[in-house]
Amino acid sequence: MSIRAAVIGCGDVSTVHFEAVAKLDGAELVGVCDPHSERLAAAAELYGVPGFTDHQSLLDAVRPEVVHICTPHNQHASIAADCLEQGVNVIVEKPLAHTLAEGRRLVDAASKGKAKIAVCFQNRYNATSQAMHSLLATGELGAVVGAAASVMWHRSPDYYRGRPWRGSWEGGGGGLLMNQAIHTVDLLQWLVGDVVEVRGNAATRFLGGTIEVEDTAEFLAEHAGGARSVFYATLGHACNAPVTLEVVTEKAVLSLRGDLTVTYGNGRVEVIPERRSDTGGRSYWGVSHELLINDFYGLLDDAEPFWISPAEAEKSLRIIKDVYRQSYPDAVTRVS
C-alpha cells in the first residue's frame, strides 16, 4: 500500500520535495496546499491532485500520512504542530521556526510521540559532511582544535521583492543567518560539538534599501570540549561561492570547498568528492534533499525519533538568535 503524501507550500523549494516523492517507490502524492491561488492551481494541475488553500482542509480531505512543509518560516511550527497532533508525520524545511518560542513549541509537540518529524538539514547527508563526521568520530585524528566556516553568496533585490517575507523579521525571523547560512551553522555545531557560547554580530550592509533583516554576519563560538570556531557570511558577494568549512584537529586538517580535502600531519592528502546535483532544484540547495526524504520514509515504522529532530534543529536556531540578541539588544521581536 502506498504512503499518502502531501506538500504544503508550493514555492521554490517545494520542487525538490515533489521530485523526491515522485521517485519514491511506495509513495503517492495525494494533495497540495498554498494560499496563493496561482501557485496552487499550477501545482494541482501539474501533479494531478486536489489543491487546498489551508492545511487543515487538506488534512481533513485527503488524510495524508506524511506532509512536507515548504512554507514561509513563520508558518513552519504552527502547521507542523497541527500535523503532529493529528498523528501525521512531518518533513519541515529549515529553520525549525522563526522564533525561539515557536521552536520550543514544536520541540514539545514532537516529544509527545504521536508522529515522526524531520527538519531539512539535508547537507548532513552530503558525502563530504558524512565523511567529515565519520573521520572525527573515530578519534583517530585526535582532538578538534578549532574550525572556520564561510558562506559568501549573492542575493539581488529582486530575490526579496518576489517573496517579501524573506526580507522581513515577521515572515523570516531573520535574514542571511536564518535563510541561507543556517545549513553551515548547523554543520559547524554538528561536526565540532554543541556551542556553549557565541559572540557575534549581524548587520545589513548590502540590501538595506530592500530588506529589514541582515545580509552579513559573523561570530566566534566556543564549543563543548574546548574547541573554538569562527564564522563569516554575506549576501554581498558578486556570486555564490562554494561554502567553506575547515576543521583543524591534532593530526589533520579537513577542508571542505565543494569536495573534501583531508591533509594529514604526515603530508598525505586524501580527496573525497561530493555528489553532483541531478535535480531541478537550485545548486545552492545541495544534493541531498532526496537522501534525507528517502531515509525518513524508510524509517517511518522505526520506534525512535528521526535523527534530525526538532530538538536537534533547535541548536542552530539558538545560535542564530543569540547573535541577533547581541546585534539588536532593543528589538525583542528579532531575538525571541
Side-chain angles (χ1 to χ4, degrees), residues 247-295:
V247 179
V248 180
T249 74
E250 293 173 319
K251 299 180 180 180
V253 176
L254 294 77
S255 299
L256 173 65
R257 183 183 171 91
D259 298 331
L260 172 64
T261 301
V262 183
T263 305
Y264 295 89
N266 62 7
R268 181 168 70 91
V269 176
E270 179 183 6
V271 177
I272 299 169
E274 185 53 81
R275 291 181 296 270
R276 305 308 175 198
S277 176
D278 60 355
T279 76
R282 295 172 182 169
S283 61
Y284 53 73
W285 290 338
V287 297
S288 298
H289 260 101
E290 186 177 333
L291 294 176
L292 184 153
I293 292 167
N294 289 351
D295 199 18

Side-chain angles (χ1 to χ4, degrees), residues 53-172:
T53 56
D54 69 274
H55 69 277
Q56 192 56 59
S57 295
L58 177 143
L59 296 176
D60 292 341
V62 300
R63 301 291 180 182
E65 295 163 85
V66 179
V67 160
H68 297 243
I69 300 174
C70 306
T71 64
H73 299 168
N74 62 352
Q75 300 171 29
H76 285 184
S78 59
I79 295 175
D82 285 349
C83 292
L84 292 175
E85 182 63 30
Q86 295 173 62
V88 179
N89 302 294
V90 171
I91 299 176
V92 61
E93 272 294 333
K94 57 74 191 166
L96 176 67
H98 70 304
T99 68
L100 288 173
E102 284 289 275
R104 175 45 49 178
R105 173 189 176 191
L106 191 46
V107 170
D108 291 343
S111 70
K112 296 177 182 178
K114 293 185 177 182
K116 227 174 185 66
I117 178 170
V119 183
C120 279
F121 283 113
Q122 72 276 359
N123 288 353
R124 291 193 186 193
Y125 280 82
N126 290 356
T128 49
S129 302
Q130 292 277 311
M132 290 179 82
H133 193 271
S134 295
L135 285 167
L136 294 169
T138 66
E140 295 176 2
L141 302 183
V144 174
V145 178
S150 71
V151 181
M152 298 177 62
W153 285 359
H154 176 82
R155 291 293 181 274
S156 69
D158 286 345
Y159 171 83
Y160 291 96
R161 292 181 185 126
R163 300 282 193 277
W165 66 266
R166 292 170 173 161
S168 73
W169 290 103
E170 180 181 1

Side-chain angles (χ1 to χ4, degrees), residues 5 7 16-24 27-29 68 293 297:
V7 175
V16 291
H17 291 263
F18 284 123
E19 287 183 355
V21 171
K23 292 178 182 178
L24 263 173
E28 176 189 8
L29 185 70
H68 297 243
I293 292 167
Y297 276 78

Side-chain angles (χ1 to χ4, degrees), residues 130-323:
Q130 292 277 311
M132 290 179 82
H133 193 271
S134 295
L135 285 167
L136 294 169
T138 66
E140 295 176 2
L141 302 183
V144 174
V145 178
S150 71
V151 181
M152 298 177 62
W153 285 359
H154 176 82
R155 291 293 181 274
S156 69
D158 286 345
Y159 171 83
Y160 291 96
R161 292 181 185 126
R163 300 282 193 277
W165 66 266
R166 292 170 173 161
S168 73
W169 290 103
E170 180 181 1
L176 158 77
L177 286 173
M178 290 284 276
N179 199 14
Q180 288 88 19
I182 191 170
H183 287 291
T184 309
V185 174
D186 173 68
L187 287 180
L188 196 60
Q189 65 85 27
W190 182 54
L191 293 169
V192 182
D194 287 349
V195 171
V196 296
E197 183 182 357
V198 178
R199 297 185 293 277
N201 182 70
T204 310
R205 295 187 177 141
F206 173 57
L207 293 160
T210 306
I211 63 176
E212 63 181 14
V213 294
E214 88 286 357
D215 59 26
T216 302
E218 54 81 20
F219 65 74
L220 182 149
E222 304 286 354
H223 298 258
R228 177 181 298 116
S229 65
V230 292
F231 177 91
Y232 176 78
T234 183
L235 296 178
H237 193 32
C239 64
N240 292 324
V243 168
T244 70
L245 204 168
E246 182 172 86
V247 179
V248 180
T249 74
E250 293 173 319
K251 299 180 180 180
V253 176
L254 294 77
S255 299
L256 173 65
R257 183 183 171 91
D259 298 331
L260 172 64
T261 301
V262 183
T263 305
Y264 295 89
N266 62 7
R268 181 168 70 91
V269 176
E270 179 183 6
V271 177
I272 299 169
E274 185 53 81
R275 291 181 296 270
R276 305 308 175 198
S277 176
D278 60 355
T279 76
R282 295 172 182 169
S283 61
Y284 53 73
W285 290 338
V287 297
S288 298
H289 260 101
E290 186 177 333
L291 294 176
L292 184 153
I293 292 167
N294 289 351
D295 199 18
F296 182 79
Y297 276 78
L299 293 170
L300 283 176
D301 292 332
D302 192 287
E304 294 299 315
F306 191 72
W307 71 289
I308 311 178
S309 63
E312 186 67 16
E314 189 182 30
K315 295 176 181 179
S316 56
L317 182 63
R318 288 193 175 279
I319 293 167
I320 291 167
K321 290 296 186 176
D322 204 1
V323 174

